[in-house]
Amino acid sequence: MFVYPSGVDVSSSSLRFLAARLRGHRRAIGTRWRRLNAGRQALLTLAHLRNGQPYAQLATGFGIGTTTAYRYITEAVNLLAALAPTLTEAARAASTKAYVILDGTLLQIDRIAADRPFYSGKHKKHGMNVQVIADPKGRLMWASPALAGAVHDVRAAREHGIIEALAAASINCWADKGYQGAGGTIRLPYRGRWDSLSTGQQAVNRSHAKIRALVEQAIATLKCWRILRKLRCSTTRITNLVQAVLVLQLAATG
């Protein structure tokens, strides 16, 4: 296998953040020596998450075994995931905002037609449903654990307790028609054909669409980490990957 220089388009603050957490973790568990120091382990993890490169390629580039690369990356991902904000913490932060925006996204996975629980009829793909909360400027605030792609957005929001958490904190939330019947403080556009809506209802829907469109920035922020564009790992690991990316993104934007 050939080795060549490459780059990772991640801020140095993310590298320093992860390296510091890894050093603290190593001290806590009493690690004496490893093939890679904390800084190199952090860089290995960021390269995997950002570029989506497989373990074998990364192992060759870093001069370690494939099993070691897998173990180092898994350790770092689990460490980051444990730092992810809870929904309660996210609701507390959201209470300082005028409102928040809620939407769901599908993270594509490599499953076959037989895996029906993971098939999203809306997207016509197999994947995992992740709920995203963004602030009024479209900045990522929180991402949910991953559920099977067949789960609809409103059901996912209920299972995660998002609707109740936002209602308890009296936070207004803009969402699309996929959250019909959610209740609480969730604000939805008027339903019906465009030509059947009144002039006032059309104006409300235009305004609603402009506000809600900003959540796409938050979703794009997640998916700029290429590991989340098409996942080829066990579905049980996807939540930790999402939470790890969330923590890195929040650390970078500080």
Side-chain angles (χ1 to χ4, degrees):
M1 188 179 293
F2 293 107
V3 178
Y4 63 92
S6 185
V8 183
D9 59 338
V10 178
S11 69
S12 57
S13 62
S14 296
L15 179 63
R16 292 193 298 269
F17 174 83
L18 179 52
R21 298 304 177 280
L22 287 169
R23 290 188 193 99
H25 175 67
R26 290 184 180 192
R27 286 194 298 269
I29 64 177
T31 298
R32 294 185 178 182
W33 179 87
R34 291 196 181 185
R35 292 293 302 276
L36 299 181
N37 60 33
R40 295 283 287 171
Q41 183 182 356
L43 182 59
L44 171 73
T45 304
L46 292 178
H48 176 66
L49 295 176
R50 190 67 167 191
N51 295 338
Q53 290 177 306
Y55 300 113
Q57 291 181 6
L58 290 170
T60 300
F62 281 81
I64 56 178
T66 303
T67 302
T68 302
Y70 172 83
R71 182 162 48 84
Y72 281 4
I73 291 170
T74 300
E75 178 185 47
V77 166
N78 292 345
L79 181 62
L80 286 170
L83 300 174
T86 64
L87 179 58
T88 301
E89 292 168 340
R92 190 180 304 119
S95 64
T96 64
K97 311 291 183 181
Y99 58 87
V100 295
I101 314 168
L102 172 66
D103 200 3
T105 187
L106 187 80
L107 302 181
Q108 191 175 353
I109 59 175
D110 60 342
R111 288 298 183 271
I112 59 176
D115 297 314
R116 298 302 298 176
F118 299 102
Y119 185 77
S120 168
K122 175 182 176 182
H123 297 90
K124 310 300 180 186
K125 296 177 183 177
H126 290 82
M128 301 295 285
N129 179 303
V130 173
Q131 299 294 298
V132 172
I133 294 177
D135 71 7
K137 294 184 178 180
R139 293 175 297 201
L140 181 66
M141 295 186 68
W142 182 78
S144 75
L147 296 176
V151 177
H152 295 289
D153 283 340
V154 67
R155 177 184 160 193
R158 287 182 177 131
E159 287 195 21
H160 295 309
I162 297 171
I163 300 168
E164 293 80 0
L166 295 178
S170 300
I171 302 167
N172 288 324
C173 175
W174 268 250
D176 63 20
K177 295 177 182 178
Y179 296 87
Q180 197 68 38
T185 55
I186 306 295
R187 296 191 175 187
L188 305 173
Y190 287 102
R191 297 184 67 185
R193 292 170 55 89
W194 183 258
D195 53 9
S196 68
L197 300 177
S198 68
T199 302
Q201 289 173 332
Q202 290 178 357
V204 168
N205 279 10
R206 286 194 193 96
S207 176
H208 189 283
K210 288 180 181 178
I211 293 172
R212 201 193 60 76
L214 291 172
V215 76
E216 297 300 330
Q217 296 180 22
I219 292 173
T221 296
L222 274 182
K223 292 188 176 180
C224 72
W225 297 80
R226 294 178 184 87
I227 191 67
L228 299 182
R229 292 184 186 176
K230 186 166 184 180
L231 293 147
R232 295 176 172 84
C233 61
S234 167
T235 55
T236 60
R237 295 187 58 229
I238 293 176
T239 290
N240 274 6
L241 288 170
V242 172
Q243 299 300 303
V245 167
L246 171 64
V247 170
L248 287 170
Q249 197 61 45
L250 293 177
T253 57

